[in-house]
C-alpha cells in the first residue's frame, strides 16, 4: 500500500527522539526536585533547632 505507516518511517524516529528527550528532561527535573526537597528539609531542621535555643545543632558524623 502507498499510504501504509510502518515502523521504518523516517518521521517515526523524530517522534521517538522527542519522547526520549522529554523523558530525560522529566528525569532531570525529578532528580533536582528530590535534591531540593532534601536540602530544604535539612535547612528547616537546622533552623528549627536554632530557633529552639540550642547551640549544638551541627550534625556530628561518626568516625570510621
Amino acid at each position: 500500500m502507498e499510504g501504509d505507516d510502518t515502523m521504518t518511517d523516517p518521521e517515526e524516529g523524530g517522534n521517538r527522539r522527542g519522547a526520549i528527550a522529554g523523558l530525560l528532561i522529566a528525569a532531570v527535573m525529578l532528580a533536582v526536585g528530590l535534591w531540593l526537597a532534601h536540602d530544604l528539609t535539612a535547612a528547616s531542621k537546622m533552623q528549627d533547632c536554632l530557633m529552639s535555643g540550642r547551640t549544638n545543632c551541627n550534625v556530628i558524623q561518626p568516625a570510621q
Side-chain angles (χ1 to χ4, degrees):
M1 283 186 191
E2 289 181 23
D4 190 19
D5 293 331
T6 62
M7 294 293 286
T8 59
D9 208 17
E11 295 176 5
E12 199 64 34
N15 291 339
R16 286 194 186 133
R17 279 191 294 266
I20 290 171
L23 183 64
L24 288 174
I25 290 170
V28 167
M29 288 177 62
L30 178 66
V32 168
L34 289 173
W35 171 77
L36 185 60
H38 182 268
D39 201 40
L40 289 174
T41 300
S44 176
K45 286 180 182 179
M46 178 65 79
Q47 189 175 24
D48 288 345
C49 179
L50 292 171
M51 292 295 286
S52 69
R54 290 186 267 168
T55 58
N56 59 346
C57 296
N58 285 339
V59 177
I60 299 172
Q61 298 294 331
Q64 293 183 3

